[in-house]
Amino acid sequence: AKLIFTTSLLLGTTITISSNHWITAWAGLEINTLAVLPLISKPHHPRSIEAATKYFLTQATASALVLFSSMTNAWYTGQWDITNLTHPTSCLILTSAIAMKLGLVPFHFWFPEVLQGSPLTTGLLLSTAMKFPPITLLLMTSHSLNPTLLTCMAISSAALGGWMGLNQTQTRKIMAFSSISHLGWMTIVIAYNPKLTLLNFYLYALMTAAVFLTLNTNKILKLSTMMTTWAKTPSLSAMLLLTLLSLAGLPPLTGFLPKWLIIQELTKQEMIIAATTISLLSLLGLFFYLRLAYCATITLPPHTTSHVKQWHTNKPVNISIAILTTLSTMLLP
């Protein structure tokens, strides 16, 4: 069953990113949604079933909107080519559909809930692989979308992703809000330099994968467990600190590269206010990453009986985690 789901995921993604016709793109998105649903609802727990239901409803609505916008465009222009989306109404509908697929503000409400209800590995899939097809659609239609609307959505995403992540104690929800604010950074620059958006997405996926796999190794679901895991794998916890700071975008690390290039591009486009706003809003993200990092390595664990310390494991850390952490800290230097 797992093999079928993984191949369907790969197939759906490939169909969407290689299609020129709207119907094939839509079919790929549908295959993706249906393949990831069993992965979300795999732990038989009411919360995961609820997450799967929420995911299904939002993705089905978004797919219907994609279909609707492409049909409107075909009705007015007589062709189904993805790159020739010209009708203004269908452009607006498509923007909202892709925002719903990605979890951009104002369609972000489903994402933290779904991530909280799914296991960590599925959470990793949802925040990286499942964002790839909609990002490619956004990339192919970026020249015809409304830049003002995209900028407004991007800045509100960065703001909400930062603000709502401040009060969370669940690591998966924190990762969800971090994803929302990163998507804001990707959307703000897509109308001006789509390649930067893609670069930002790749680096974001790299760093998120490193964080999620680290959390999965130590089975960290909330901050209180995070305080006690330093004894289990000390070196991995120390590297988690750097990966989180990289995700926040601190200068010598990888995560600074896309932010730097995007701010440069925005100043070239004379969008100084937008650049300043989104840079200041990323400080909110830095705050909750720092709190995660504090819980992971910097503070001493609580010496109480309620917190059980974990045993130190001598089994070597997964090689993929090692590669991803190295890349997500050292790629820019």
Side-chain angles (χ1 to χ4, degrees), residues 35-205:
V36 88
L37 277 172
L39 295 176
I40 301 176
S41 58
K42 190 170 158 260
H44 291 294
H45 189 274
R47 180 162 274 175
S48 57
I49 306 294
E50 179 191 353
T53 313
K54 283 177 180 171
Y55 185 75
F56 173 72
L57 290 173
T58 44
Q59 299 300 311
T61 316
S63 294
L65 281 176
V66 166
L67 212 50
F68 180 50
S69 82
S70 52
M71 280 166 89
T72 314
N73 190 55
W75 178 263
Y76 278 102
T77 59
Q79 39 82 21
W80 285 92
D81 200 43
I82 289 187
T83 44
N84 293 353
L85 191 76
T86 46
H87 193 253
T89 318
S90 46
C91 285
L92 287 174
I93 299 173
L94 184 84
T95 311
S96 56
I98 286 184
M100 207 180 285
K101 279 266 175 212
L102 288 170
L104 271 171
V105 173
F107 307 104
H108 64 285
F109 296 101
W110 63 274
F111 190 49
E113 302 288 324
V114 169
L115 219 57
Q116 181 57 32
S118 48
L120 281 167
T121 37
T122 312
L124 168 61
L125 268 181
L126 284 175
S127 10
T128 55
M130 301 303 291
K131 307 260 165 167
F132 188 49
I135 287 264
T136 50
L137 284 182
L138 201 58
L139 203 77
M140 286 190 275
T141 55
S142 59
H143 51 84
S144 51
L145 301 178
N146 181 354
T148 325
L149 177 66
L150 287 175
T151 310
C152 290
M153 284 169 95
I155 288 179
S156 50
S157 291
L160 265 157
W163 263 311
M164 293 174 76
L166 293 180
N167 211 12
Q168 301 295 336
T169 54
Q170 304 284 338
T171 44
R172 285 169 295 184
K173 276 199 174 169
I174 292 181
M175 291 312 291
F177 287 119
S178 111
S179 176
I180 292 172
S181 57
H182 274 276
L183 281 169
W185 278 89
M186 288 174 222
T187 337
I188 198 165
V189 81
I190 194 148
Y192 310 108
N193 194 342
K195 287 202 176 71
L196 272 186
T197 301
L198 217 49
L199 171 79
N200 192 347
F201 178 75
Y202 291 146
L203 292 179
Y204 155 77

Side-chain angles (χ1 to χ4, degrees), residues 208-240:
T208 309
V211 173
F212 264 113
L213 289 173
T214 308
L215 295 179
N216 190 38
T217 308
N218 288 337
K219 301 282 177 281
I220 304 172
L221 294 179
K222 47 184 190 294
L223 291 182
S224 53
T225 13
M226 203 167 190
M227 286 189 166
T228 59
T229 46
W230 66 275
K232 191 176 179 182
T233 44
S235 52
L236 193 56
S237 298
M239 282 308 287
L240 179 61

Side-chain angles (χ1 to χ4, degrees), residues 213 317-325:
L213 289 173
V317 171
N318 194 334
I319 184 75
S320 58
I321 302 185
I323 296 170
L324 284 167
T325 351

